[in-house]
Amino acid sequence: MTRIYVGPTALYSLGQVGELSLLDAFDGDIVIPEPVVDDVQVEPTATNLAEYREGGVDTAVDEDHIEQAEALLGEKDLGAAVTVLAGVLAHRDSADRTAVAVVSEDRTVRRMAQGLGAEVTSSFGVVVRAAIEDKYLKPTQAKRIVRRIDQHGTHLTGELRERAVGEVA
């Protein structure tokens, strides 16, 4: 079963517009390590995350891989990025690239996770996947969600926004 680690940037993007439930479009276990949860202090994201977690989200930290993740990132604290990458290190499988995935807008986390063999996407990728997988989320609704996320701080260039909206169609 795929483990999908979600970083604070993606939680912020989806949580600001009340769309954290779109993470459920993934076929796997959603993991939001406790330090990632602690990083999400902005409202309404914090409230939306608390409600989403009531559905049973794994918040465990893969302690055995923290030091290795810190060494890779050059950080010496148990921050959100370190815990996400520790999860990737713990669950990656060179024979199965779909064993672990990361949802994040953080470029460093994305590059590192991809280099370690994880599938990587962003909050926009979550919306696109939900539109493709969920017969109840119409492309027009997905386009509105992408635009709302764009208006709440994760600003896209015009080209990227049109690409994200185009992929939904």
Side-chain angles (χ1 to χ4, degrees):
M1 174 73 59
T2 302
R3 294 179 62 81
I4 300 113
Y5 286 84
V6 185
T9 54
L11 291 174
Y12 172 81
S13 296
L14 294 168
Q16 281 297 105
V17 297
E19 299 292 348
L20 288 169
S21 64
L22 294 178
L23 290 167
D24 297 335
F26 286 103
D27 193 21
D29 296 327
I30 300 297
V31 182
I32 306 172
E34 201 61 48
V36 172
V37 172
D38 294 342
D39 267 9
V40 178
Q41 301 295 319
V42 177
E43 290 297 345
T45 301
T47 298
N48 289 333
L49 179 57
E51 290 171 4
Y52 179 72
R53 288 180 58 207
E54 288 174 6
V57 173
D58 187 352
T59 58
V61 175
D62 292 291
E63 299 284 348
D64 295 342
H65 293 85
I66 290 294
E67 285 184 29
Q68 187 180 3
E70 286 175 339
L72 289 171
L73 286 171
E75 295 183 20
K76 297 297 178 202
D77 67 344
L78 190 64
V82 170
T83 58
V84 168
L85 290 178
V88 170
L89 288 164
H91 299 284
R92 68 186 179 152
D93 182 348
S94 59
D96 180 10
R97 194 164 174 88
T98 64
V100 65
V102 171
V103 181
S104 179
E105 266 78 61
D106 183 308
R107 287 183 182 171
T108 302
V109 170
R110 290 170 58 89
R111 280 194 308 263
M112 192 72 66
Q114 201 166 28
L116 292 170
E119 290 290 324
V120 176
T121 194
S122 67
S123 55
F124 297 104
V126 171
V127 176
V128 170
R129 181 178 188 97
I132 291 168
E133 300 288 325
D134 184 353
K135 63 183 177 186
Y136 300 108
L137 182 64
K138 295 183 180 3
T140 54
Q141 293 170 299
K143 288 177 186 180
R144 273 184 250 152
I145 293 168
V146 166
R147 288 184 181 109
R148 285 180 24 233
I149 290 172
D150 187 39
Q151 293 170 348
H152 278 86
T154 306
H155 296 290
L156 295 172
T157 64
E159 177 186 342
L160 284 175
R161 183 182 328 122
E162 290 311 310
R163 182 173 165 210
V165 168
E167 287 182 17
V168 169

